[in-house]
Amino acid sequence: MSRPLFLHIVDAVVAHDHYFVQKRNAAGVLGLSPLQKITAALRMLTYGVAADTQDEYLQIADSTTVESLKRFVRAIIEVFGDEYLRYPNNSDTTRLLALGEHRGFPGMLGSIDCMHWKWKNCPSAWQGMYSGKSSEPTIVLEAVASEDLWIWHAFFGMPGSHNDINVLHRSPLFARLLEGQAPQVNYTINGHNYKMGYYLADRIYPSWATFVKTISEPQGNKRKHFAQEQESARKAVERAFGVLQARFAIVRGPARFWYQETLQDIMTACIILHNMIVENERGEQDIDYNYDNEGERVTPSHTSTPDFDEFVRTHHDIRNRHTHSQLQEDLVEHLWHFYGRN
């Protein structure tokens, strides 16, 4: 990250947690500075190294490094979580819909997928529950990312024995939509009106109205073109996972902590820092990636909670297979004409 962003994080964390303030001991000797503690924590996140490797470079004990890491990630979540791991508000949704339409997918809100993080120190009693297809204990991260690699949704903590569908059924991804608190989305494709946004997903996801999947073994030029464009646009979330792991090697290698709560804080803090870096390094491009309200606390707009009948109706609308098929066919035609115009 850039030096100004790093110093901004240091100032915010020191102001939030008194642990990072430099103090004197009983003999009047100055203790560790905030830069030493925060640098040690960031080096563990960035390089994925053990705590005892910080002593030679920063003159800091391994126990202090671990304590600094735990307090640092908790401070990042408490200070920056409301802003950089927020649900899309009205302005964000409008911008995401514009990005999707620019790619030929009106109504698209991003791409969804899951990533597994190996848990090296998983307790022996839990290893069967956390071991999936890789036969090693892992923890699953479900995420939604947009084209600029901003991660809008992160659900972490499910055992690695679950697949993407099991994780989805426990995820709060559509909770705000069911509660009537999500921003309104209305668009028209091929003469049909739709009132819910959708995410690009791979073939394992269910055939819901809120997912658009590729076509297996497509026949004809239109369907082949749709499959190619869908798979290309869906790579946004794969790229986001790759960039997240490249920036923070601790989530690329095996996790060495014992408690799942610590791993939850580390993963969440890495995603928040990732979004902060994305915002800071956002360059000049043809598409306006600068989201409204950036640099400020964002409070999602809330509406009244719907009654039970409306809740059930929305639940069935989300899982409507007919709408899923109709939306896919409309996008096949739309992308074919979109390709011809461009």
Side-chain angles (χ1 to χ4, degrees), residues 200-220:
L200 300 184
D202 57 18
R203 286 174 289 186
I204 191 175
Y205 280 87
S207 298
W208 292 358
T210 48
F211 294 126
V212 169
K213 304 187 293 183
T214 187
I215 300 176
S216 303
E217 300 180 0
Q219 303 295 321

Side-chain angles (χ1 to χ4, degrees), residues 131-259:
S131 299
K133 60 182 180 181
S134 63
S135 71
E136 295 177 330
T138 60
I139 306 179
V140 183
L141 167 67
E142 179 192 73
V144 170
S146 55
E147 187 179 350
D148 63 341
L149 305 184
W150 186 289
I151 297 177
W152 292 101
H153 162 78
F155 175 60
F156 177 79
M158 294 299 298
S161 57
H162 291 73
N163 59 22
D164 295 6
I165 301 178
N166 304 138
V167 175
L168 174 67
H169 288 161
R170 292 159 177 80
S171 169
L173 177 61
F174 299 116
R176 295 178 71 246
L177 181 60
L178 288 168
E179 295 169 358
Q181 298 177 356
Q184 293 294 322
V185 176
N186 295 286
Y187 57 97
T188 301
I189 305 178
N190 201 29
H192 294 97
N193 297 321
Y194 297 94
K195 60 180 181 179
M196 290 188 299
Y198 59 85
Y199 303 102
L200 300 184
D202 57 18
R203 286 174 289 186
I204 191 175
Y205 280 87
S207 298
W208 292 358
T210 48
F211 294 126
V212 169
K213 304 187 293 183
T214 187
I215 300 176
S216 303
E217 300 180 0
Q219 303 295 321
N221 292 332
K222 291 183 180 181
R223 291 177 172 272
K224 289 181 180 179
H225 175 67
F226 168 80
Q228 180 181 0
E229 292 298 317
Q230 193 273 353
E231 293 168 7
S232 175
R234 195 188 65 82
K235 293 300 180 183
V237 65
E238 301 286 355
R239 290 172 52 229
F241 286 150
V243 173
L244 179 69
Q245 292 178 330
R247 284 175 172 157
F248 303 102
I250 193 171
V251 300
R252 183 176 68 241
R256 297 184 176 89
F257 289 90
W258 295 99
Y259 298 103

